[in-house]
Amino acid sequence: MARFVALGLLAGIASAAGSAQAADLPVAPEPIDYVRICDAYGSRFYYIPGTETCLRVRGRVRTEFRVRNFGEAENAWGDRDTDGYQWRSRGYLYLDARTQTEFGTLRGFLEIYMQQTNDRAGFSIDNAYIQWGGLTAGLTNSNFDFFTGYAFDAQIESYSDQSLNQIAYTHAFGNGFNATIAIEDQSDREAGIGLNGSVLGYGGTRMPDVIGVLGVNQGWGEAQIMGALHQVYPEAAFNGTTGGSEDELGWAVGAGVEIEFGGLANGGSIALQGVYTDGASAYGSTGWNSLITDAVWDGNSTETTRTWNVFGGVSLGLTNNLELNVEGGYHNVDAATSAYDFTQWSVTSNLVWEPVSGFILGPELQYRDLDFSDASGLEDTYQLFGTFRMQRSF
């Protein structure tokens, strides 16, 4: 009897020991979905875990001290209630997601920033668009704009540089040649309507702008010819005063070329662009004086405003980490009445030092000259602006 009790005790001990050993066995880990490098679209892309979409994340931090117009009085420093300087800082975020499909690459791109200027903060979206094959839809740079500057152009610019909502299709012919047709929002292309010495606004949106472009991009550089159609649609107050109700069809044509060259430590490039507008002045520049119009009432009818615009620049890589940029433009405005005629020209230059990769800093000086007609009642003047910028991209 004692023997059976002993055997039972031994069996219980063995069973308990076996259970303890089983509990001590390692548990198989959950599978880990490691981030994979994606080299299909260039550097710094990686696969979003669990998908075949490649994502690139970038950022930028910028701070700059801006000396506002200190040219001929009355300038920003002569008006006690106007800021003589601005201190501006921005933080950028860039997201670029791409997936290969049977119809071509499907891409989504987002560029946003937050900004603090003196005591005023803000948030903005510079780019938010989808690309699929040759199709582009969303907020991005206008297809009409070609040369958009080498310098910072921190406070004024002589060229046209607009980001706006659009839908566009680009066809590549091969050997660097391409053609684009686009429909773009006209809201940022409205220059104003002249009436009895004042500049009135547009009515509500009715027709988007239509853009056509032919371009080439090869080893020597790139070139482009472009055209735009733009509806001139005066506001109700203008029609109520003039008794008119008709709209005008404005247009713009332009051509530009950029050539790259060697002979310097870090090479260089030179660009030149010309634009003629008739009722579509904003295609000539985004840096117009506030007197600019798309059309003017001449006492009998609404007549479109014509502008001539020539601008360009040169960028010189003086050393591997020092760059000099010089650019400028000339703009002539011919309106239906001389009260709205004027010319403006500007020159911008900066020197940019990159002591380490991704970090730049340097000063910029900008000059703009404004010549008004006697009928405008305005005095000719000149403006000066200075900026010092530091920027880290990563």
Side-chain angles (χ1 to χ4, degrees):
M1 182 69 175
R3 186 173 59 206
F4 288 117
V5 172
L7 288 174
L9 288 172
L10 289 172
I13 292 171
S15 176
S19 299
Q21 290 176 354
D24 291 339
L25 290 176
V27 178
E30 293 291 330
I32 298 176
D33 197 355
Y34 291 99
V35 174
R36 297 176 293 147
I37 300 299
C38 173
D39 56 9
Y41 307 107
S43 62
R44 299 175 61 185
F45 280 90
Y46 61 89
Y47 286 99
I48 298 175
T51 75
E52 292 302 312
T53 296
C54 297
L55 178 67
R56 183 179 181 182
V57 180
R58 295 186 296 127
R60 173 176 291 171
V61 176
R62 173 191 298 168
T63 187
E64 60 189 27
F65 186 85
R66 310 167 126 212
V67 180
R68 300 294 290 156
N69 175 28
F70 59 98
E72 189 170 13
E74 181 159 326
N75 54 41
W77 294 81
D79 183 351
R80 189 171 185 85
D81 296 329
T82 298
D83 288 339
Y85 76 85
Q86 292 178 335
W87 205 320
R88 172 176 291 180
S89 295
R90 284 183 176 180
Y92 288 82
L93 175 65
Y94 305 87
L95 300 176
D96 189 351
R98 308 188 194 188
T99 306
Q100 194 60 38
T101 75
E102 59 180 314
F103 300 103
T105 301
L106 176 61
R107 182 188 188 194
F109 184 84
L110 177 65
E111 176 186 349
I112 59 177
Y113 68 82
M114 298 190 70
Q115 172 177 293
Q116 179 88 17
T117 303
N118 293 0
D119 60 346
R120 300 177 298 276
F123 170 86
S124 184
I125 301 177
D126 265 2
N127 287 280
Y129 62 85
I130 297 168
Q131 287 181 320
W132 190 33
L135 183 70
T136 299
L139 177 69
T140 188
N141 297 335
S142 172
N143 295 275
F144 188 95
D145 297 341
F146 178 72
F147 176 71
T148 55
Y150 292 129
F152 301 150
D153 297 297
Q155 302 191 57
I156 59 173
E157 66 276 340
S158 61
Y159 44 78
S160 169
D161 183 15
Q162 285 286 8
S163 289
L164 33 73
N165 285 306
Q166 62 180 269
I167 184 166
Y169 182 79
T170 298
H171 179 75
F173 297 106
N175 198 30
F177 289 89
N178 59 80
T180 299
I181 185 71
I183 297 174
E184 300 182 353
D185 179 31
Q186 75 152 8
S187 301
D188 287 327
R189 297 292 193 183
E190 299 172 355
I193 314 295
L195 176 64
N196 301 330
S198 300
V199 179
L200 303 185
Y202 270 58
T205 54
R206 293 297 184 271
M207 186 183 88
D209 289 1
V210 180
I211 313 294
V213 176
L214 292 174
V216 59
N217 191 328
Q218 298 177 339
W220 54 267
E222 58 182 324
Q224 176 175 301
I225 58 175
M226 52 279 195
L229 295 176
H230 171 81
Q231 183 190 29
V232 181
Y233 191 77
E235 64 180 32
F238 177 90
N239 286 343
T241 302
T242 62
S245 60
E246 76 277 4
D247 310 324
E248 301 293 334
L249 184 62
W251 53 274
V253 293
V257 61
E258 181 179 30
I259 300 173
E260 299 178 1
F261 57 85
L264 297 171
N266 205 28
S269 60
I270 185 169
L272 181 66
Q273 183 175 338
V275 176
Y276 177 80
T277 73
D278 188 339
S281 301
Y283 285 95
S285 175
T286 48
W288 283 117
N289 177 266
S290 59
L291 191 64
I292 189 63
T293 58
D294 279 336
V296 171
W297 175 256
D298 67 0
N300 297 303
S301 61
T302 304
E303 301 295 332
T304 53
T305 298
R306 296 172 294 279
T307 75
W308 285 96
N309 311 270
V310 179
F311 43 88
V314 61
S315 179
L316 304 174
L318 303 178
T319 71
N320 288 330
N321 58 7
L322 190 64
E323 181 179 276
L324 174 66
N325 300 294
V326 180
E327 61 189 49
Y330 175 83
H331 309 268
N332 179 268
V333 180
D334 181 16
T337 66
S338 58
Y340 295 91
D341 293 348
F342 67 96
T343 62
Q344 68 178 56
W345 60 272
S346 61
V347 178
T348 294
S349 182
N350 70 3
L351 188 65
V352 183
W353 181 39
E354 187 174 16
V356 296
S357 179
F359 175 53
I360 63 171
L361 67 160
E364 177 173 271
L365 182 64
Q366 299 184 277
Y367 174 89
R368 179 163 63 182
D369 185 272
L370 293 159
D371 296 319
F372 301 101
S373 69
D374 292 338
S376 71
L378 300 174
E379 295 184 1
D380 299 345
T381 188
Y382 68 87
Q383 301 169 323
L384 284 166
F385 304 85
T387 303
F388 186 85
R389 175 179 292 183
M390 301 175 68
Q391 179 174 289
R392 171 74 166 104
S393 300
F394 51 90

